[in-house]
Amino acid sequence: MSYVKAILAPSDNPDSFGFAMREKRFQIFEQLINRNFASDKVIHVLDVGGTAYFWKDKNLVKEGKLKVTLLNLEKEIGVPKEMESIAGDATDLSMFEDGQFDLVFSNSVIEHLYTWENQQKMAKECVRVAKKYFIQTPNKHFFIEAHYAIPFIQYVPKKLTYKVLTKTKLSRLRKWKPQDAQQYLDEIRLINKKEMKRLFPKATIYKEKMMGMTKSFTAHNMD
């Protein structure tokens, strides 16, 4: 795959830069797991917005180290036995008790909640229901916008972005369906470093680098 195609490809493509960055991020996560939990402990993880696809090949899951509960808008059917899937709302985890999980994990979800108020609700709930957390989101100011793979388009008015997405193939070499483009434009609110610190004031902010620039932030309390 060419350099350009590797950048444009979605992160679930094993040849994409997004996939490589996600795997590197998971290596950091594994190191923090080993540092924070006893080797013989089964760790109960709530993945807010996650899918079985993300976890199914991870050794921590296959070896029984992690028991993962997936929470998404719709219940996922046919998940592996090491996982459970339930329907729920990231901004309201009232179905769970305080500290019910050992760890909350979330990957590129908190920017999909429409408003700053909803992002605050999700952050508060993630901190409440688990002793530890590992929450990642793309950097608002990274030069390539994470969802459309177009440089600096996050600074363009949404009406113009809609036209670019639906009338051209600049975004991932394809034209978006109008309803998909509008849905993303409505729901995505990118987060900067200052806001990430406000959402998780007690967290360490891990900066994921690409070409010397910060591509994403991960807030965690696993030092």
Side-chain angles (χ1 to χ4, degrees), residues 12-222:
D12 58 355
N13 185 325
D15 295 321
S16 69
F17 277 114
F19 186 91
M21 298 294 283
R22 190 171 66 182
E23 289 299 297
K24 181 179 179 181
R25 187 185 314 137
F26 197 83
Q27 290 176 10
I28 300 294
F29 175 70
E30 286 183 312
Q31 293 171 11
L32 293 171
I33 285 285
N34 292 332
R35 188 187 306 170
N36 281 264
F37 297 97
S39 59
D40 59 347
K41 176 179 174 56
V42 176
I43 304 162
H44 294 270
V45 177
L46 175 66
D47 183 352
V48 177
T51 64
Y53 174 82
F54 178 87
W55 296 97
K56 65 183 180 66
D57 294 325
K58 300 294 189 291
N59 287 331
L60 287 174
V61 174
K62 291 191 292 184
E63 295 169 1
K65 179 77 172 179
L66 302 184
K67 293 293 184 182
V68 181
T69 298
L70 305 167
L71 182 139
N72 224 314
L73 293 175
E74 296 182 1
K75 181 178 179 179
E76 187 174 354
I77 305 301
V79 301
K81 63 180 180 179
E82 300 86 359
M83 306 178 208
E84 175 188 11
S85 179
I86 59 176
D89 182 346
T91 67
D92 180 8
L93 303 179
S94 56
M95 67 181 76
F96 304 122
E97 299 178 1
D98 293 1
Q100 181 170 334
F101 293 90
D102 298 307
L103 172 70
V104 166
F105 180 97
S106 187
N107 189 78
S108 295
V109 171
I110 198 169
E111 75 274 11
H112 286 269
L113 298 181
Y114 296 86
T115 67
W116 171 244
E117 289 73 23
N118 283 343
Q119 291 169 338
Q120 289 176 300
K121 289 177 182 178
M122 174 179 164
K124 184 177 180 180
E125 285 288 78
C126 287
V127 171
R128 180 185 67 81
V129 301
K131 305 170 185 69
K132 301 290 183 180
Y133 54 84
F134 189 93
I135 313 292
Q136 183 268 353
T137 191
N139 175 18
K140 176 180 180 178
H141 298 304
F142 186 63
F143 78 101
I144 298 178
E145 200 282 337
H147 305 87
Y148 313 123
I150 301 176
F152 305 112
I153 201 166
Q154 63 267 42
Y155 304 114
V156 171
K158 288 187 176 183
K159 287 185 178 180
L160 178 55
T161 303
Y162 177 84
K163 290 182 179 179
V164 171
L165 295 176
T166 58
K167 303 299 184 184
T168 78
K169 294 185 178 181
L170 291 175
S171 177
R172 304 192 185 278
L173 304 179
R174 65 179 178 88
K175 290 182 181 180
W176 287 53
K177 294 179 181 179
Q179 63 270 29
D180 293 340
Q182 190 59 58
Q183 178 64 36
Y184 261 57
L185 289 168
D186 289 342
E187 74 182 45
I188 292 172
R189 183 188 180 280
L190 294 171
I191 295 172
N192 60 33
K193 181 184 176 183
K194 182 178 180 181
E195 290 176 333
M196 199 65 167
K197 286 294 294 183
R198 287 180 62 190
L199 290 170
F200 301 97
K202 297 182 179 180
T204 295
I205 305 297
Y206 167 66
K207 299 177 184 178
E208 185 177 82
K209 296 290 185 177
M210 182 176 179
M211 295 182 286
M213 294 170 282
T214 301
K215 184 178 183 294
S216 77
F217 303 114
T218 300
H220 69 85
N221 63 342
M222 301 172 69

